[in-house]
């Protein structure tokens, strides 16, 4: 387990990330200029379909202003900031990567959202919160890095209030071995994809009842086609976060989707 966690940390090491972000964000003006979730969307939504996917998942999850929300595997904080800015809710993010957490805090200050959004370094398998703390939990493109799915979903259920919502948006296996490297893993050693059916079989015994279940693979493919047609990505983008090989990681993601090796699952559950 420790070796796997170390491997995941190494994949998301992002040395010097906050300084790189400061330099890249000069494109938007001086450092005291407030930034919006929409401006940051190209570099802080680290999942297929980006901000559009976060928007849809939040609606499916029924996020409202009075909720306390946990974003597990929060990356550099894009979804957390979007939820707080859009709905007025309080959001806590946790991530295994300390550089990501530092960067998330910096970007949240730049967005003037530090009063609503906080981040800490933690493992999704040992969430540092009391039982029943949150009204909703989001998990976007995270589970594929976690081998012990049963423990992951039990921890999410533990920190959710009864009747709370668990919204997941993740990559699933369609039976074929993916081409590597991909955005979540440079080798198979830190990739733990399950099929959609196996994902559901892992989630429901943890104490969840499905409210929404949909295959978003076709929407993801259309997004890939649109990206390819639109030329180079806007700057700054996720290459700032993931480094110079991000173009290759993205290309393999698209190839795996188009060849049907992977799919995209959106699902919302209620904590029973």
């Amino acid at each position: 387990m420790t070796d796997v966690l170390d491997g995941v940390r190494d994949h998301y090491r992002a040395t010097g990330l906050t300084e790189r972000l400061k330099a890249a964000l000069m494109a938007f003006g001086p450092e005291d200029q407030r930034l919006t979730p929409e401006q940051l969307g190209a570099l802080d939504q680290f999942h297929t379909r980006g901000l559009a996917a976060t928007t849809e998942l939040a609606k499916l999850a029924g996020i409202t202003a009075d909720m306390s929300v946990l974003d597990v595997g929060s990356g550099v904080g894009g979804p957390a900031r979007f939820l707080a800015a859009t709905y007025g809710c309080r959001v806590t993010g946790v991530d295994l990567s300390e550089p990501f957490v530092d960067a998330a805090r910096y970007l949240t200050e730049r967005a003037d959202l530090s009063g609503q959004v906080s981040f800490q370094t933690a493992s999704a398998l040992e969430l540092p919160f009391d039982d029943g703390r949150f009204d909703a939990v989001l998990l976007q493109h995270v589970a594929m890095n976690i081998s012990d799915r049963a423990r992951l979903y039990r921890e999410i259920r533990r920190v959710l209030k009864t009747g709370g919502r668990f919204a997941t948006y993740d990559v699933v296996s369609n039976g074929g071995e993916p081409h590597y490297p991909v955005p979540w893993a440079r080798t198979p050693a830190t990739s733990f994809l399950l099929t959609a059916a196996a994902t559901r079989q892992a989630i429901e015994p943890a104490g969840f009842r499905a409210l929404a279940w949909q295959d978003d693979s076709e929407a993801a493919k259309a997004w890939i086609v649109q990206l390819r047609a639109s030329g180079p990505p806007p700057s700054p983008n996720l290459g700032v976060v993931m480094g110079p090989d991000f173009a290759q990681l993205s290309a393999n993601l698209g190839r795996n989707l188009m060849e049907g090796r992977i799919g995209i699952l959106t699902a919302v559950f209620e904590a029973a």
Side-chain angles (χ1 to χ4, degrees), residues 208-244:
F208 289 105
R209 181 173 66 88
L211 300 177
W213 183 268
Q214 59 195 52
D215 180 348
D216 279 330
S217 302
E218 291 307 313
K221 289 177 186 177
W223 177 75
I224 292 289
V225 170
Q226 185 178 9
L227 283 184
R228 289 174 177 172
S230 60
S235 184
N237 56 60
L238 274 165
V240 179
V241 178
M242 289 304 293

Side-chain angles (χ1 to χ4, degrees), residues 22-128:
K22 286 180 181 179
L25 292 173
M26 293 298 287
F28 294 130
E31 191 156 354
D32 60 356
Q33 183 170 320
R34 183 176 176 272
L35 300 173
T36 67
E38 288 73 25
Q39 283 177 302
L40 294 171
L43 64 76
D44 70 3
Q45 301 283 331
F46 191 17
H47 47 263
T48 313
R49 297 182 60 234
L51 191 55
T54 300
T55 302
E56 291 175 13
L57 192 65
K59 286 178 182 174
L60 276 176
I63 303 297
T64 55
D66 59 349
M67 285 185 173
S68 179
V69 181
L70 176 64
D71 184 13
V72 176
S74 49
V76 296
R81 283 186 294 275
F82 171 80
L83 293 177
T86 304
Y87 295 98
C89 55
R90 301 177 312 282
V91 189
T92 302
V94 296
D95 200 277
L96 195 61
S97 167
E98 200 165 328
F100 276 16
V101 170
D102 290 343
R105 290 170 177 160
Y106 167 71
L107 292 173
T108 301
E109 288 172 9
R110 291 290 306 269
D112 196 24
L113 287 168
S114 296
Q116 287 172 258
V117 185
S118 62
F119 299 93
Q120 54 187 291
T121 307
S123 167
L125 299 178
E126 294 181 58
L127 295 170

Side-chain angles (χ1 to χ4, degrees), residues 5 25 33 49 62 78 85 88 103 106 120 135 141 147-148 150 165-166 204 211 218 227 229 232 236 238 248 262-263:
L5 286 177
L25 292 173
Q33 183 170 320
R49 297 182 60 234
Y106 167 71
Q120 54 187 291
D135 300 293
H141 282 32
S147 59
D148 193 346
R165 299 287 177 88
F166 167 42
E204 290 183 336
L211 300 177
E218 291 307 313
L227 283 184
L238 274 165
Q248 183 189 9
I262 61 173

